[in-house]
Amino acid sequence: GIYGGQINNTSEIDNYPGFQKISGPELAESMYNTANRFGAEFGYGNVEAIEKTGALWDIQTDMGDNYQAKTVIVGTGTRYKKLGVLGEEHFEGRGVSYCAICDGEFFTGKHVVVVGGGDSAVEEAIYLAKIVDRVTLVHWRDELSAQKGTQDVLFNTPNIDVVWNSQVTEIKGDMTVNLVTLTNNGGTVSDLSADGIFVYIGMNPNSEIVSHLDVVDERGQILTNAALETGLEGLYAIGDVRNTPMRQISTSVGDGALVSQTIIEKLNKAAAPVSI
């Protein structure tokens, strides 16, 4: 995927220090350019194996590249959870989406369903409302968990409707999505005509590459201490993939600053001559 991870799936960021408003892809591009300016080298590919060999970590990718390093920082982030309902996998890319900024333009002038009640769901519903004819937000509870200011914008956007206490239980269509089945908490089933559905019901950590190293919890989050160490010498984790109470761009950036300083100090200490 493109550098920046989940940032690229956010249409508009208005709570990152230093910017009044900036799109996710723009911020990702700016961060990438900054890293380049300071001399970072970039490699591409999926990590297929990571193992400790002596004092070094050995990393292999599906591109045939092999890297060795004294330290490894895992910053692989998260991916969207799926509904797991009939029709979701079949219509993925043909009406089912997990990224409004990526696919929103395909639904210009149409009706779409957004599933979720957190910040991502509400923010992307607001974004889609500027493109599509109508948005229906479906949430399984009777209140949203998104920030109040974002909720206020949602409730004051005329072409957004909210269906409370309901879940999407099936996605139907022909070549593309045209119907969504809803089941409310009382068990009543109804069909809603829709041209697309955007799913924002949480995230799963991308920690599979280290799951064999016994550094993840039952939810797949990488366990770290306050210094972002995993318990295995030279292996660190930062950002959304670790056991963090808050998943925001600013906290991930903070993790990066902290772990970099920690590693620099450790490497310098190890390289220092021993006094006798």
Side-chain angles (χ1 to χ4, degrees):
I2 191 171
Y3 42 78
Q6 293 293 350
I7 299 177
N8 289 294
N9 296 335
T10 304
S11 56
E12 195 171 81
I13 298 166
D14 60 6
N15 63 346
Y16 187 74
F19 297 94
Q20 288 288 77
K21 285 187 185 298
I22 188 171
S23 77
E26 287 176 325
L27 183 56
E29 178 78 12
S30 179
M31 290 180 172
Y32 173 75
N33 290 336
T34 300
N36 266 319
R37 184 165 60 88
F38 281 101
E41 296 180 12
F42 287 83
Y44 294 89
N46 295 311
V47 173
E48 291 189 324
I50 174 170
E51 298 288 349
K52 190 73 175 289
T53 306
L56 299 177
W57 286 95
D58 186 74
I59 300 98
Q60 297 177 17
T61 76
D62 61 354
M63 303 294 285
D65 296 311
N66 181 271
Y67 302 94
Q68 289 189 322
K70 293 180 180 179
T71 58
V72 174
I73 305 169
V74 181
T76 46
T78 57
R79 63 186 181 277
Y80 288 112
K81 287 183 179 179
K82 297 188 176 183
L83 292 169
V85 303
L86 189 63
E88 180 180 20
E89 184 176 346
H90 179 73
F91 288 107
E92 189 168 329
R94 295 188 291 129
V96 174
S97 177
Y98 307 89
C99 177
I101 194 171
C102 308
D103 300 327
E105 296 292 339
F106 294 120
F107 300 92
T108 301
K110 298 182 178 181
H111 172 220
V112 300
V113 169
V114 174
V115 184
D119 287 322
S120 293
V122 173
E123 289 168 2
E124 300 314 289
I126 294 168
Y127 169 76
L128 286 165
K130 301 172 184 176
I131 302 170
V132 304
D133 178 62
R134 185 163 63 96
V135 177
T136 299
L137 181 73
V138 177
H139 187 43
W140 68 280
R141 297 172 57 201
D142 60 1
E143 62 180 1
L144 304 174
S145 58
Q147 299 177 59
K148 186 181 183 303
T150 312
Q151 290 190 41
D152 290 342
V153 175
L154 178 93
F155 294 135
N156 285 293
T157 302
N159 61 334
I160 298 180
D161 301 315
V162 181
V163 176
W164 303 103
N165 300 307
S166 298
Q167 300 182 59
V168 172
T169 50
E170 187 174 353
I171 301 168
K172 303 175 182 177
D174 297 317
M175 295 298 292
T176 59
V177 170
N178 58 36
L179 208 64
V180 172
T181 298
L182 305 179
T183 303
N184 69 22
N185 294 348
T188 302
V189 178
S190 61
D191 283 333
L192 177 67
S193 295
D195 301 293
I197 176 170
F198 291 80
V199 180
Y200 298 98
I201 57 171
M203 314 296 288
N204 283 320
N206 295 316
S207 60
E208 289 82 3
I209 60 171
V210 294
S211 60
H212 65 294
L213 298 174
D214 196 30
V215 293
V216 301
D217 64 15
E218 66 281 357
R219 290 176 292 181
Q221 301 172 136
I222 300 177
L223 296 166
T224 65
N225 60 16
L228 306 176
E229 300 166 311
T230 64
L232 297 179
E233 182 65 31
L235 184 66
Y236 302 80
I238 62 173
D240 290 4
V241 74
R242 74 179 192 87
N243 58 324
T244 176
M246 180 176 284
R247 288 174 168 79
Q248 291 196 355
I249 300 168
S250 56
T251 56
S252 294
V253 169
D255 282 357
L258 174 60
V259 78
S260 298
Q261 187 62 29
T262 300
I263 290 172
I264 289 169
E265 290 177 358
K266 276 199 168 188
L267 293 177
N268 285 341
K269 185 177 180 181
V274 178
S275 299
I276 299 176

